[in-house]
Amino acid sequence: NAGVMQNPRHLVRRRGQEARLRCSPMKGHSHVYWYRQLPEEGLKFMVYLQKENIIDESGMPKERFSAEFPKEGPSILRIQQVVRGDSAAYFCASSRNPGQRTEQFFGPGTRLTVL
Amino acid sequence: TQLLEQSPQFLSIQEGENLTVYCNSSSVFSSLQWYRQEPGEGPVLLVTVVTGGEVKKLKRLTFQFGDARKDSSLHITAAQPGDTGLYLCAGAILTGGGNKLTFGTGTQLKVEL
C-alpha cells in the first residue's frame, strides 16, 4: 500500500462537529474508493470517485456524508454533524482504470473518534 | 448483496504448522483479492486471482480461486510468527461503475513460537 496517503491518521471530534478526511492516491492512479471499518465489523464500500466525478455512492449514508475528488488535490470525505456511531476507521484505496485484474491499494486509514 | 464468508474466524497455531483459510460466497466475482491487515494499518494486497481454478503461489502462501469463481482458499505452509495478522478476502465485480470490493468477514491468525 505504499504511496496512498491519508491524513490525518487520527481525528477526534465532538458530536455535532465536522470531520474532513483526505486521501492522496498513488502516482498514476485516478480512481479512488472509500471504505469504512466499524468496530468489530468488516470493511464496507462507501463511494467510488474519479477526478471530478462521483461514479458510485451506493454505500454512502444518505445524510451528512459527502465525498469529492477535485481536479487538483486530494479526495475528501466529509462528515457533517458527526455522531458517536461515525467512530470508525476510514480507508481510501486507489487504482488505475478498472479492469478485471485491476488492483486496489489501500492507505493507512484515518481513525475517527467522536466524543 | 454479495456476501463473503470466511472460515475459520479465529485460528491460533504453533510455528511450523500448516493452515487453510476459506472464503465462500453464493455470488460470482470478476476477481478475488486477498489482503493482510495489521492492527492500526490499512490492508496490504497479497494476491489477485481472476480465472476460475487459478492457483497462485507467494513463497509459503498458496491461493486458489474456485472453478465457478465463487470461492477461494489461502493455504499457508510452515506458518511463522510473522504470518500473524488479519487475513481478508475481497471479491470484485467489474461493472461500468468500477470494481468496488466486497470484503469477507476476516480470519484472525495467530502463530505462536
Side-chain angles (χ1 to χ4, degrees), chain A residues 17-40:
Chain A
Q17 291 185 319
E18 179 180 287
R20 279 182 180 245
L21 288 61
R22 287 176 288 278
C23 168
S24 296
M26 283 180 69
K27 188 176 180 181
H29 288 187
S30 58
H31 300 260
V32 166
Y33 301 77
W34 285 93
Y35 295 84
R36 177 166 68 172
Q37 190 171 37
L38 290 165
E40 307 305 321

PDB file of all heavy atoms in Angstrom, chain A residues 17-40:
ATOM      1  N   GLN A  17     -19.681  18.290  15.374  1.00  0.00           N
ATOM      2  CA  GLN A  17     -18.630  18.927  14.583  1.00  0.00           C
ATOM      3  C   GLN A  17     -18.522  18.267  13.220  1.00  0.00           C
ATOM      4  O   GLN A  17     -19.162  17.259  12.937  1.00  0.00           O
ATOM      5  CB  GLN A  17     -17.286  18.836  15.326  1.00  0.00           C
ATOM      6  CG  GLN A  17     -17.238  19.689  16.574  1.00  0.00           C
ATOM      7  CD  GLN A  17     -15.863  19.666  17.228  1.00  0.00           C
ATOM      8  OE1 GLN A  17     -15.213  18.619  17.311  1.00  0.00           O
ATOM      9  NE2 GLN A  17     -15.412  20.823  17.689  1.00  0.00           N
ATOM     10  N   GLU A  18     -17.674  18.858  12.387  1.00  0.00           N
ATOM     11  CA  GLU A  18     -17.442  18.295  11.057  1.00  0.00           C
ATOM     12  C   GLU A  18     -16.099  17.572  11.029  1.00  0.00           C
ATOM     13  O   GLU A  18     -15.148  17.982  11.681  1.00  0.00           O
ATOM     14  CB  GLU A  18     -17.432  19.424  10.023  1.00  0.00           C
ATOM     15  CG  GLU A  18     -17.162  18.956   8.601  1.00  0.00           C
ATOM     16  CD  GLU A  18     -17.168  20.105   7.601  1.00  0.00           C
ATOM     17  OE1 GLU A  18     -18.261  20.621   7.297  1.00  0.00           O
ATOM     18  OE2 GLU A  18     -16.072  20.472   7.108  1.00  0.00           O
ATOM     19  N   ALA A  19     -16.046  16.501  10.255  1.00  0.00           N
ATOM     20  CA  ALA A  19     -14.791  15.770  10.050  1.00  0.00           C
ATOM     21  C   ALA A  19     -14.450  15.785   8.567  1.00  0.00           C
ATOM     22  O   ALA A  19     -15.319  15.539   7.722  1.00  0.00           O
ATOM     23  CB  ALA A  19     -14.920  14.333  10.538  1.00  0.00           C
ATOM     24  N   ARG A  20     -13.180  16.098   8.272  1.00  0.00           N
ATOM     25  CA  ARG A  20     -12.707  16.067   6.889  1.00  0.00           C
ATOM     26  C   ARG A  20     -11.523  15.126   6.800  1.00  0.00           C
ATOM     27  O   ARG A  20     -10.518  15.323   7.473  1.00  0.00           O
ATOM     28  CB  ARG A  20     -12.273  17.461   6.438  1.00  0.00           C
ATOM     29  CG  ARG A  20     -13.415  18.339   6.018  1.00  0.00           C
ATOM     30  CD  ARG A  20     -12.930  19.691   5.538  1.00  0.00           C
ATOM     31  NE  ARG A  20     -14.051  20.514   5.129  1.00  0.00           N
ATOM     32  CZ  ARG A  20     -14.249  20.926   3.885  1.00  0.00           C
ATOM     33  NH1 ARG A  20     -13.377  20.622   2.940  1.00  0.00           N
ATOM     34  NH2 ARG A  20     -15.297  21.647   3.585  1.00  0.00           N
ATOM     35  N   LEU A  21     -11.669  14.114   5.952  1.00  0.00           N
ATOM     36  CA  LEU A  21     -10.632  13.104   5.791  1.00  0.00           C
ATOM     37  C   LEU A  21     -10.081  13.241   4.375  1.00  0.00           C
ATOM     38  O   LEU A  21     -10.849  13.339   3.409  1.00  0.00           O
ATOM     39  CB  LEU A  21     -11.221  11.706   5.997  1.00  0.00           C
ATOM     40  CG  LEU A  21     -11.610  11.266   7.403  1.00  0.00           C
ATOM     41  CD1 LEU A  21     -12.694  12.141   8.020  1.00  0.00           C
ATOM     42  CD2 LEU A  21     -12.074   9.819   7.378  1.00  0.00           C
ATOM     43  N   ARG A  22      -8.750  13.212   4.280  1.00  0.00           N
ATOM     44  CA  ARG A  22      -8.120  13.434   2.985  1.00  0.00           C
ATOM     45  C   ARG A  22      -7.377  12.194   2.495  1.00  0.00           C
ATOM     46  O   ARG A  22      -6.822  11.425   3.303  1.00  0.00           O
ATOM     47  CB  ARG A  22      -7.151  14.612   3.066  1.00  0.00           C
ATOM     48  CG  ARG A  22      -7.837  15.962   3.152  1.00  0.00           C
ATOM     49  CD  ARG A  22      -6.831  17.078   3.340  1.00  0.00           C
ATOM     50  NE  ARG A  22      -6.257  17.067   4.671  1.00  0.00           N
ATOM     51  CZ  ARG A  22      -6.829  17.600   5.742  1.00  0.00           C
ATOM     52  NH1 ARG A  22      -8.008  18.168   5.647  1.00  0.00           N
ATOM     53  NH2 ARG A  22      -6.228  17.562   6.902  1.00  0.00           N
ATOM     54  N   CYS A  23      -7.373  12.032   1.190  1.00  0.00           N
ATOM     55  CA  CYS A  23      -6.712  10.878   0.579  1.00  0.00           C
ATOM     56  C   CYS A  23      -6.014  11.301  -0.699  1.00  0.00           C
ATOM     57  O   CYS A  23      -6.653  11.845  -1.606  1.00  0.00           O
ATOM     58  CB  CYS A  23      -7.738   9.790   0.262  1.00  0.00           C
ATOM     59  SG  CYS A  23      -7.104   8.463  -0.793  1.00  0.00           S
ATOM     60  N   SER A  24      -4.725  11.032  -0.775  1.00  0.00           N
ATOM     61  CA  SER A  24      -3.963  11.263  -2.000  1.00  0.00           C
ATOM     62  C   SER A  24      -3.639   9.909  -2.608  1.00  0.00           C
ATOM     63  O   SER A  24      -2.955   9.089  -1.970  1.00  0.00           O
ATOM     64  CB  SER A  24      -2.677  12.032  -1.699  1.00  0.00           C
ATOM     65  OG  SER A  24      -2.974  13.318  -1.206  1.00  0.00           O
ATOM     66  N   PRO A  25      -4.129   9.628  -3.823  1.00  0.00           N
ATOM     67  CA  PRO A  25      -3.905   8.303  -4.421  1.00  0.00           C
ATOM     68  C   PRO A  25      -2.459   8.109  -4.821  1.00  0.00           C
ATOM     69  O   PRO A  25      -1.653   9.048  -4.829  1.00  0.00           O
ATOM     70  CB  PRO A  25      -4.818   8.327  -5.646  1.00  0.00           C
ATOM     71  CG  PRO A  25      -4.945   9.770  -5.997  1.00  0.00           C
ATOM     72  CD  PRO A  25      -4.891  10.515  -4.686  1.00  0.00           C
ATOM     73  N   MET A  26      -2.151   6.866  -5.163  1.00  0.00           N
ATOM     74  CA  MET A  26      -0.818   6.547  -5.674  1.00  0.00           C
ATOM     75  C   MET A  26      -0.583   7.314  -6.972  1.00  0.00           C
ATOM     76  O   MET A  26      -1.519   7.605  -7.721  1.00  0.00           O
ATOM     77  CB  MET A  26      -0.691   5.051  -5.952  1.00  0.00           C
ATOM     78  CG  MET A  26      -0.488   4.206  -4.712  1.00  0.00           C
ATOM     79  SD  MET A  26      -0.349   2.450  -5.103  1.00  0.00           S
ATOM     80  CE  MET A  26       1.229   2.425  -5.932  1.00  0.00           C
ATOM     81  N   LYS A  27       0.663   7.572  -7.265  1.00  0.00           N
ATOM     82  CA  LYS A  27       1.023   8.254  -8.500  1.00  0.00           C
ATOM     83  C   LYS A  27       0.538   7.430  -9.689  1.00  0.00           C
ATOM     84  O   LYS A  27       0.722   6.211  -9.737  1.00  0.00           O
ATOM     85  CB  LYS A  27       2.544   8.424  -8.565  1.00  0.00           C
ATOM     86  CG  LYS A  27       3.005   9.289  -9.711  1.00  0.00           C
ATOM     87  CD  LYS A  27       4.502   9.502  -9.649  1.00  0.00           C
ATOM     88  CE  LYS A  27       4.960  10.386 -10.803  1.00  0.00           C
ATOM     89  NZ  LYS A  27       6.420  10.608 -10.787  1.00  0.00           N
ATOM     90  N   GLY A  28      -0.135   8.095 -10.608  1.00  0.00           N
ATOM     91  CA  GLY A  28      -0.625   7.400 -11.787  1.00  0.00           C
ATOM     92  C   GLY A  28      -2.022   6.828 -11.635  1.00  0.00           C
ATOM     93  O   GLY A  28      -2.599   6.318 -12.590  1.00  0.00           O
ATOM     94  N   HIS A  29      -2.571   6.897 -10.432  1.00  0.00           N
ATOM     95  CA  HIS A  29      -3.928   6.399 -10.189  1.00  0.00           C
ATOM     96  C   HIS A  29      -4.915   7.552 -10.209  1.00  0.00           C
ATOM     97  O   HIS A  29      -4.682   8.576  -9.558  1.00  0.00           O
ATOM     98  CB  HIS A  29      -4.012   5.697  -8.828  1.00  0.00           C
ATOM     99  CG  HIS A  29      -3.320   4.384  -8.784  1.00  0.00           C
ATOM    100  ND1 HIS A  29      -3.406   3.545  -7.697  1.00  0.00           N
ATOM    101  CD2 HIS A  29      -2.528   3.748  -9.688  1.00  0.00           C
ATOM    102  CE1 HIS A  29      -2.715   2.447  -7.939  1.00  0.00           C
ATOM    103  NE2 HIS A  29      -2.162   2.548  -9.129  1.00  0.00           N
ATOM    104  N   SER A  30      -6.028   7.349 -10.917  1.00  0.00           N
ATOM    105  CA  SER A  30      -7.029   8.415 -10.968  1.00  0.00           C
ATOM    106  C   SER A  30      -8.387   7.930 -10.460  1.00  0.00           C
ATOM    107  O   SER A  30      -9.412   8.576 -10.683  1.00  0.00           O
ATOM    108  CB  SER A  30      -7.170   8.936 -12.401  1.00  0.00           C
ATOM    109  OG  SER A  30      -7.531   7.879 -13.266  1.00  0.00           O
ATOM    110  N   HIS A  31      -8.381   6.763  -9.797  1.00  0.00           N
ATOM    111  CA  HIS A  31      -9.626   6.199  -9.279  1.00  0.00           C
ATOM    112  C   HIS A  31      -9.469   5.998  -7.777  1.00  0.00           C
ATOM    113  O   HIS A  31      -8.489   5.417  -7.326  1.00  0.00           O
ATOM    114  CB  HIS A  31      -9.934   4.864  -9.962  1.00  0.00           C
ATOM    115  CG  HIS A  31     -10.095   4.990 -11.443  1.00  0.00           C
ATOM    116  ND1 HIS A  31     -11.327   5.040 -12.058  1.00  0.00           N
ATOM    117  CD2 HIS A  31      -9.174   5.118 -12.429  1.00  0.00           C
ATOM    118  CE1 HIS A  31     -11.155   5.179 -13.367  1.00  0.00           C
ATOM    119  NE2 HIS A  31      -9.869   5.237 -13.614  1.00  0.00           N
ATOM    120  N   VAL A  32     -10.449   6.490  -7.037  1.00  0.00           N
ATOM    121  CA  VAL A  32     -10.385   6.436  -5.577  1.00  0.00           C
ATOM    122  C   VAL A  32     -11.639   5.785  -5.012  1.00  0.00           C
ATOM    123  O   VAL A  32     -12.757   6.064  -5.469  1.00  0.00           O
ATOM    124  CB  VAL A  32     -10.228   7.859  -4.989  1.00  0.00           C
ATOM    125  CG1 VAL A  32     -10.500   7.868  -3.493  1.00  0.00           C
ATOM    126  CG2 VAL A  32      -8.815   8.387  -5.255  1.00  0.00           C
ATOM    127  N   TYR A  33     -11.442   4.916  -4.045  1.00  0.00           N
ATOM    128  CA  TYR A  33     -12.545   4.254  -3.342  1.00  0.00           C
ATOM    129  C   TYR A  33     -12.399   4.566  -1.856  1.00  0.00           C
ATOM    130  O   TYR A  33     -11.299   4.547  -1.315  1.00  0.00           O
ATOM    131  CB  TYR A  33     -12.475   2.732  -3.522  1.00  0.00           C
ATOM    132  CG  TYR A  33     -12.535   2.244  -4.956  1.00  0.00           C
ATOM    133  CD1 TYR A  33     -11.423   2.324  -5.789  1.00  0.00           C
ATOM    134  CD2 TYR A  33     -13.696   1.683  -5.467  1.00  0.00           C
ATOM    135  CE1 TYR A  33     -11.476   1.868  -7.095  1.00  0.00           C
ATOM    136  CE2 TYR A  33     -13.755   1.214  -6.779  1.00  0.00           C
ATOM    137  CZ  TYR A  33     -12.639   1.312  -7.582  1.00  0.00           C
ATOM    138  OH  TYR A  33     -12.687   0.859  -8.878  1.00  0.00           O
ATOM    139  N   TRP A  34     -13.523   4.801  -1.198  1.00  0.00           N
ATOM    140  CA  TRP A  34     -13.535   4.957   0.261  1.00  0.00           C
ATOM    141  C   TRP A  34     -14.277   3.779   0.888  1.00  0.00           C
ATOM    142  O   TRP A  34     -15.348   3.373   0.408  1.00  0.00           O
ATOM    143  CB  TRP A  34     -14.225   6.257   0.661  1.00  0.00           C
ATOM    144  CG  TRP A  34     -13.408   7.497   0.436  1.00  0.00           C
ATOM    145  CD1 TRP A  34     -13.409   8.295  -0.675  1.00  0.00           C
ATOM    146  CD2 TRP A  34     -12.483   8.091   1.347  1.00  0.00           C
ATOM    147  NE1 TRP A  34     -12.542   9.347  -0.511  1.00  0.00           N
ATOM    148  CE2 TRP A  34     -11.958   9.253   0.715  1.00  0.00           C
ATOM    149  CE3 TRP A  34     -12.047   7.785   2.639  1.00  0.00           C
ATOM    150  CZ2 TRP A  34     -11.020  10.081   1.339  1.00  0.00           C
ATOM    151  CZ3 TRP A  34     -11.123   8.604   3.245  1.00  0.00           C
ATOM    152  CH2 TRP A  34     -10.612   9.747   2.601  1.00  0.00           C
ATOM    153  N   TYR A  35     -13.706   3.263   1.979  1.00  0.00           N
ATOM    154  CA  TYR A  35     -14.301   2.166   2.733  1.00  0.00           C
ATOM    155  C   TYR A  35     -14.326   2.547   4.214  1.00  0.00           C
ATOM    156  O   TYR A  35     -13.489   3.318   4.685  1.00  0.00           O
ATOM    157  CB  TYR A  35     -13.483   0.875   2.577  1.00  0.00           C
ATOM    158  CG  TYR A  35     -13.443   0.312   1.180  1.00  0.00           C
ATOM    159  CD1 TYR A  35     -12.524   0.786   0.248  1.00  0.00           C
ATOM    160  CD2 TYR A  35     -14.308  -0.702   0.783  1.00  0.00           C
ATOM    161  CE1 TYR A  35     -12.479   0.276  -1.046  1.00  0.00           C
ATOM    162  CE2 TYR A  35     -14.261  -1.232  -0.504  1.00  0.00           C
ATOM    163  CZ  TYR A  35     -13.349  -0.729  -1.409  1.00  0.00           C
ATOM    164  OH  TYR A  35     -13.305  -1.241  -2.677  1.00  0.00           O
ATOM    165  N   ARG A  36     -15.259   1.954   4.926  1.00  0.00           N
ATOM    166  CA  ARG A  36     -15.350   2.203   6.372  1.00  0.00           C
ATOM    167  C   ARG A  36     -15.277   0.875   7.110  1.00  0.00           C
ATOM    168  O   ARG A  36     -15.873  -0.120   6.690  1.00  0.00           O
ATOM    169  CB  ARG A  36     -16.669   2.916   6.698  1.00  0.00           C
ATOM    170  CG  ARG A  36     -16.887   3.157   8.171  1.00  0.00           C
ATOM    171  CD  ARG A  36     -17.995   4.150   8.428  1.00  0.00           C
ATOM    172  NE  ARG A  36     -19.305   3.674   8.061  1.00  0.00           N
ATOM    173  CZ  ARG A  36     -20.436   4.331   8.339  1.00  0.00           C
ATOM    174  NH1 ARG A  36     -20.383   5.477   8.978  1.00  0.00           N
ATOM    175  NH2 ARG A  36     -21.592   3.842   7.967  1.00  0.00           N
ATOM    176  N   GLN A  37     -14.544   0.890   8.211  1.00  0.00           N
ATOM    177  CA  GLN A  37     -14.421  -0.316   9.040  1.00  0.00           C
ATOM    178  C   GLN A  37     -14.893   0.057  10.435  1.00  0.00           C
ATOM    179  O   GLN A  37     -14.173   0.701  11.201  1.00  0.00           O
ATOM    180  CB  GLN A  37     -12.970  -0.803   9.068  1.00  0.00           C
ATOM    181  CG  GLN A  37     -12.771  -2.165   9.697  1.00  0.00           C
ATOM    182  CD  GLN A  37     -11.342  -2.673   9.491  1.00  0.00           C
ATOM    183  OE1 GLN A  37     -10.380  -1.914   9.531  1.00  0.00           O
ATOM    184  NE2 GLN A  37     -11.198  -3.965   9.255  1.00  0.00           N
ATOM    185  N   LEU A  38     -16.113  -0.356  10.744  1.00  0.00           N
ATOM    186  CA  LEU A  38     -16.666  -0.102  12.065  1.00  0.00           C
ATOM    187  C   LEU A  38     -16.080  -1.094  13.055  1.00  0.00           C
ATOM    188  O   LEU A  38     -15.662  -2.194  12.666  1.00  0.00           O
ATOM    189  CB  LEU A  38     -18.193  -0.230  12.029  1.00  0.00           C
ATOM    190  CG  LEU A  38     -18.922   0.882  11.259  1.00  0.00           C
ATOM    191  CD1 LEU A  38     -20.353   0.468  10.962  1.00  0.00           C
ATOM    192  CD2 LEU A  38     -18.907   2.169  12.050  1.00  0.00           C
ATOM    193  N   PRO A  39     -16.033  -0.733  14.338  1.00  0.00           N
ATOM    194  CA  PRO A  39     -15.506  -1.652  15.355  1.00  0.00           C
ATOM    195  C   PRO A  39     -16.200  -3.015  15.273  1.00  0.00           C
ATOM    196  O   PRO A  39     -17.424  -3.085  15.206  1.00  0.00           O
ATOM    197  CB  PRO A  39     -15.814  -0.939  16.669  1.00  0.00           C
ATOM    198  CG  PRO A  39     -15.883   0.504  16.317  1.00  0.00           C
ATOM    199  CD  PRO A  39     -16.458   0.545  14.924  1.00  0.00           C
ATOM    200  N   GLU A  40     -15.420  -4.055  15.271  1.00  0.00           N
ATOM    201  CA  GLU A  40     -15.928  -5.428  15.243  1.00  0.00           C
ATOM    202  C   GLU A  40     -16.685  -5.767  13.960  1.00  0.00           C
ATOM    203  O   GLU A  40     -17.405  -6.771  13.915  1.00  0.00           O
ATOM    204  CB  GLU A  40     -16.834  -5.706  16.451  1.00  0.00           C
ATOM    205  CG  GLU A  40     -16.193  -5.368  17.795  1.00  0.00           C
ATOM    206  CD  GLU A  40     -14.853  -6.058  18.007  1.00  0.00           C
ATOM    207  OE1 GLU A  40     -14.735  -7.237  17.598  1.00  0.00           O
ATOM    208  OE2 GLU A  40     -13.941  -5.440  18.577  1.00  0.00           O
TER     209      GLU A  40
END
